């Protein structure tokens, strides 16, 4: 798990008449990519995922990046991605 100690600025870019234009900033601050914990059978361990998310929130993380940023995306179905996002948001 890696936290970036510098300000992270993510910006949308729009293409209009062949030129790129910068849009509004999504967020600023530190983003942490967390693992997606798995059970022995390959299913997602939501109890452990909840603990990891709570730890980040308790320690004032500005943004949590989930679902495959540490390599597990190729083993997750679309449904699992969506469920992880729902779980994290709730």
């Amino acid at each position: 798990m890696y936290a970036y100690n510098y300000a992270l600025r993510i910006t949308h870019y729009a293409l209009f008449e062949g030129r790129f234009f910068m849009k509004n900033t999504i967020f600023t601050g530190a983003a942490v990519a967390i693992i997606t914990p798995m059970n022995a059978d390959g299913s997602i361990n939501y109890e452990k995922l909840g603990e990891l998310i709570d730890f980040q929130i308790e320690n004032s993380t500005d943004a949590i990046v989930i679902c495959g940023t540490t390599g597990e995306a190729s083993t997750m179905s679309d449904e699992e991605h969506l469920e992880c996002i729902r779980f994290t948001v709730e």
Side-chain angles (χ1 to χ4, degrees), residues 33-49:
I34 62 172
I35 63 166
T36 306
M38 303 286 188
N39 294 309
D41 65 359
S43 63
I44 296 169
N45 184 334
Y46 287 102
E47 181 178 342
K48 183 54 83 175
L49 180 59

Side-chain angles (χ1 to χ4, degrees), residues 1-2 4 9-10 14 21 23 31 39 42-43 51 54 62-63 66 75-76 78 87-88:
M1 187 162 41
Y2 296 98
Y4 298 104
R9 185 178 177 104
I10 297 179
F21 293 89
K23 293 178 106 180
N39 294 309
S43 63
E51 291 174 17
D54 288 343
D62 296 303
I66 63 165
T75 65
M76 295 171 65
D78 290 342
F87 184 86
T88 302

